[in-house]
Every structure is written in structure tokens, then in C-alpha cells.
Amino acid sequence: MTEYVCIKELCLDTYDDDGFFVESGNAFVEVGEVFQKSEEKFRCVGDKNSIRLENDRQWLEICEETLNEYFKPQ
């Protein structure tokens, strides 16, 4: 798995396990947090081109543009 480090603070909307938007929740990613890119194909929230990043605290499903803007390979 490829590791990525956050280079710019990020706030994302939160969705439940069924893909429904959670109004009271946001996912925050701090600069310096490290995630591993999953090689598995996921489509829980985003479109078929979603990228899943995981660490011990949370998982994110983002598009390639967000990956390139907020993360860099470690």
C-alpha cells in the first residue's frame, strides 16, 4: 500500500455506512496525518473513481483531485 501524508488541513462531509449524509458530522484531517491508499475498489460514497485512504483513526473516500491537492506520497 502507498502511504500519503496530509499537506493541507482538510474537512470533509460525513456519510453513514449506508451512504447517507450525516448533517452533524464532519471528518477533519490534520496536516501531518498519514494514510494508506487502499488498492481495493470501493464505491461507498463517491463515484467509481473514488480513492480510499485509511489509517488507524478513520477512512476517507476522496476523488483524485482532492488527493493531489491535500496529500503527497510519503
Side-chain angles (χ1 to χ4, degrees), residues 6 11 13 26 29-30 34 56 71:
C6 180
C11 178
D13 290 334
N26 286 321
V29 181
E30 296 179 8
V34 177
D56 293 338
F71 295 90

Side-chain angles (χ1 to χ4, degrees), residues 42-47 50-53 59-63:
F42 290 93
R43 190 172 176 224
C44 297
V45 177
D47 62 24
S50 294
I51 297 166
R52 185 169 177 145
L53 299 179
W59 64 267
L60 311 171
E61 189 173 324
I62 58 174
C63 64

Side-chain angles (χ1 to χ4, degrees), residues 17-35:
D17 291 338
D18 295 318
F20 293 103
F21 176 71
V22 178
E23 288 188 39
S24 62
N26 286 321
F28 293 95
V29 181
E30 296 179 8
V31 173
E33 280 193 74
V34 177
F35 288 83

